[in-house]
Amino acid sequence: FYHPFVFRDTLWIVGGEDDDGKYDDAWQSVDGVQWTRAATNLPFGKRAGQQFVVFHDILYMIDRDVWMSTDVRHWQQVAASIADGEIFGYAVEVYDDAIWLIGCNRNGRFRSEVLRSRDASTWTAERAPWSPRGGVATCQFQGRIIMTGGKYGGPGIAGQTEFVYSNDVWAFGRR
């Protein structure tokens, strides 16, 4: 799994995971066809599932912790932990001069919360009106964040994980 993103008119892939394991490198491309390794042994270690967002012209890598970079090759840790334990299954948006994490699964528990930060180092959990879920999709439209879908899971009758998939759409923000 890889999460390509655009930073300063260049396509990037940082970290990721495949059958051989996780990676701690950065690859860049100006056309999406030809790729060049730009960095190896990045300081945050091997990662997969992290998200990237540009906020105030700085690139942030968001995972259980937060790192920042101005060139994708050199990184500085901004926050050692943004929530208790592991987080995954979230979408990230920059909105209203803040970074928003929507649909977080924390330590295998889904919550009806969003995480918000105005500086990428201090994070606040805020109650959300939708049912607990992770794996959501988000975008911005007409000045608001739109969130759709997601899933909620728990143990089934035979102990296996069963998921309930959401098929609703939520909009939040100023009109």
Side-chain angles (χ1 to χ4, degrees):
F1 298 100
Y2 301 93
H3 298 276
F5 59 90
V6 176
F7 182 61
R8 298 194 174 154
D9 298 320
T10 300
L11 287 166
W12 292 91
I13 294 176
V14 175
E17 181 176 24
D18 61 22
D19 290 339
D20 294 327
K22 295 180 181 178
Y23 296 93
D24 60 357
D25 55 3
W27 291 78
Q28 69 182 71
S29 175
V30 295
D31 61 10
V33 176
Q34 300 295 320
W35 290 85
T36 304
R37 182 180 286 165
T40 59
N41 301 312
L42 293 171
F44 42 76
K46 297 179 179 184
R47 298 284 178 113
Q50 71 277 18
Q51 297 287 327
F52 295 88
V53 65
V54 178
F55 183 57
H56 297 294
D57 204 34
I58 296 171
L59 179 66
Y60 290 91
M61 183 196 74
I62 300 174
D63 198 1
R64 62 187 174 274
D65 52 1
V66 180
W67 291 74
M68 64 180 274
S69 177
T70 57
D71 66 3
V72 192
R73 294 169 184 84
H74 303 93
W75 293 84
Q76 176 183 351
Q77 190 174 44
V78 177
S81 175
I82 64 173
D84 295 335
E86 297 292 320
I87 65 168
F88 59 92
Y90 57 90
V92 62
E93 294 284 343
V94 171
Y95 177 79
D96 193 28
D97 200 38
I99 303 171
W100 296 76
L101 271 63
I102 303 159
C104 293
N105 178 328
R106 292 190 236 155
N107 294 324
R109 293 189 177 139
F110 295 93
R111 298 185 185 184
S112 297
E113 290 180 341
V114 296
L115 296 173
R116 181 178 59 89
S117 178
R118 295 206 180 273
D119 61 9
S121 67
T122 303
W123 292 82
T124 304
E126 297 182 13
R127 181 89 172 103
W130 50 78
S131 61
R133 66 185 71 189
V136 301
T138 62
C139 68
Q140 293 186 43
F141 182 67
Q142 296 182 347
R144 299 189 299 168
I145 296 176
I146 307 297
M147 182 204 71
T148 184
K151 62 183 177 180
Y152 177 83
I157 295 172
Q160 78 284 6
T161 301
E162 291 185 2
F163 290 106
V164 174
Y165 292 88
S166 300
N167 189 24
D168 50 358
V169 178
W170 291 83
F172 62 99
R174 293 187 287 245
R175 286 188 178 255

